[in-house]
Amino acid sequence: MPRFSLEPGLMQLDDGATGAPRVAGPRTDTSQVTEADINTAVAQAGQDLEVDPVTLAYEAGNTGATVRLNKFTPEELKAYQQGRADKVTSARVTTQAGMNPDNPMPEEDPGPGMYWANYGGVWRKYKYVTDSTGNNNNNGNNGNGNGNNGNGNGNGNNGNGTDGAGNGNNPPSPTDTGPTLAADVFKQTLAVFFGAAEMAKPWVNELYKAVSKFYKAGATSEESFNMALLESETNPLMTDFTKRFKGIFALQKMKQAGKAVTVPTIAEYFATESKMGDMLKASNLGEIANEDFLGDVLGKGVSATEFGNRITQIFDRIDNAPQAIKTTLNRFFPYLDRISLAKALALGDKGATMLQQEVAGYEVLAAGEFQGLGLSADNPMGLTVARASDIAKSGGTYASTLGQFGQIKKAMPIVSSLEEVSNKADRLGQVGLEKALIGKSAKELTVLEQLTAEEEARYQARSGSIGPRGLASQARGSGGYF
């Protein structure tokens, strides 16, 4: 054992030990460690020790650790709920009057029809549960007990009358059931989202029961709603409610199947749905900005950002395109109307980035087809989708390539004639001119320079003067034939 040195801050060595004396470190101020810190440390220790996830979920509920309920599997959620319930039960047992001298029951009279009960370490006033006659439903040990001498109702004083009929004035405190949700406030809150007309339907009462159960067990109101939602999927009386959140259930099934998706809470679901609705309205698609369609979109795991990109970068681009582009695009997006197109883009499996690349390629294709250079029986070497996409990836657009394809159209017969005179075996054709005039390919530009030089030599031999400037120079942007 190390022994304290007379010198402050140092410790003596053990008998027979060698080396420098050890220095006593600073004391940890445990007063700054909160219960939340301890709960977090315990949860992390469980993960480090690879404790069973279901056990971890139970401990999280029992310690009150902050968690995301939508990350739980059904088994973990059930264990978490049990942990919360056990924590509340334990708190009630250990904090009642007389059990915790540091937190005694208030001496103040709670008032008529009220009683004190401890919930989560806090004393609150609660109303007695009454029957239809208005009497306190707190009869004796065996309900209505017979008095010792006569037919007495055994109400009060632990339920047994003493002599004949006697009503006790001190009924025992009923078991505390935790805080309760006011039904009218609950319905008023729901009406904001679902409308007042929905509040008369059976699913509202069923939801109230489910939420109240979790709320009484110690969950927050938000947690109670989320747990009640997941529990309500198979309840036939809750069909109208669960249909409203079909996107959450679809994502939950995807998560259970092992897919990397995030299941939103009800609050997150509403927020994302609202953002998507605003985006649709901004693009004059308000008629599909409804919960049914957006529930399908959310159920596919489409985020608000991705949805916005598909609508603003793809749909709006197609919707506002010139007619020449729309004519070509209609072959690849054959939808009868703009609403069908918007739905297909939003619900499709292709992301906004991929769709944007495709549309850009189709726009270049439209430019080539407008100049008569599209693929056809008369033009087997015409512009293909693949070549148009490559041009688009290099920065080509409908506007920038429209004139270039016009130049290619004019140059093709001239180049073909020069190749014929020069007896060239390998012809440039449309593909070669695309590479030279649009792609600025050195190989194809060299061929044009050779054709030009040969033509200038023939011209000079015929007339004794310098002929027209080379096609290659013109291809580099210095004017001339085309």
Side-chain angles (χ1 to χ4, degrees), residues 432-475:
L433 286 173
E434 288 173 8
K435 292 179 179 179
L437 294 178
I438 299 178
K440 305 302 179 184
S441 169
K443 179 182 178 181
E444 281 69 28
L445 286 173
T446 299
V447 173
L448 285 180
E449 288 173 352
Q450 292 174 348
L451 289 173
T452 301
E454 292 172 3
E455 173 61 12
E456 286 182 340
R458 288 192 292 269
Y459 186 85
Q460 189 174 16
R462 289 194 302 268
S463 63
S465 60
I466 298 176
R469 300 184 65 184
L471 289 170
S473 298
Q474 298 161 38

Side-chain angles (χ1 to χ4, degrees), residues 26 46 80 91 120 145 232 235 238 252 290 323 325 347 349 464:
Y80 176 81
S232 301
N235 187 341
M238 299 289 288
Q252 183 70 18
N290 56 69
Q323 188 57 47
I325 295 179
L347 295 171
D349 295 326

Side-chain angles (χ1 to χ4, degrees), residues 300-386:
K300 292 181 71 67
V302 178
S303 67
T305 300
E306 170 66 18
F307 180 80
N309 290 339
R310 293 187 188 185
I311 294 301
T312 61
Q313 295 182 17
I314 311 303
F315 174 81
D316 286 351
R317 183 171 179 171
I318 296 174
D319 197 41
N320 298 321
Q323 188 57 47
I325 295 179
K326 286 184 176 179
T327 300
T328 299
L329 288 174
N330 192 54
R331 301 206 310 271
F332 304 96
F333 297 98
Y335 303 106
L336 297 177
D337 54 65
R338 60 196 304 272
I339 297 299
S340 299
L341 174 62
K343 287 183 176 181
L345 293 174
L347 295 171
D349 295 326
K350 293 181 179 179
T353 300
M354 182 182 294
L355 287 168
Q356 193 170 16
Q357 291 175 350
E358 288 185 2
V359 172
Y362 298 148
E363 289 176 346
V364 171
L365 179 65
E369 291 180 339
F370 183 83
Q371 298 291 10
L373 297 177
L375 185 64
S376 65
D378 296 332
N379 186 16
M381 298 302 291
L383 184 62
T384 63
V385 174

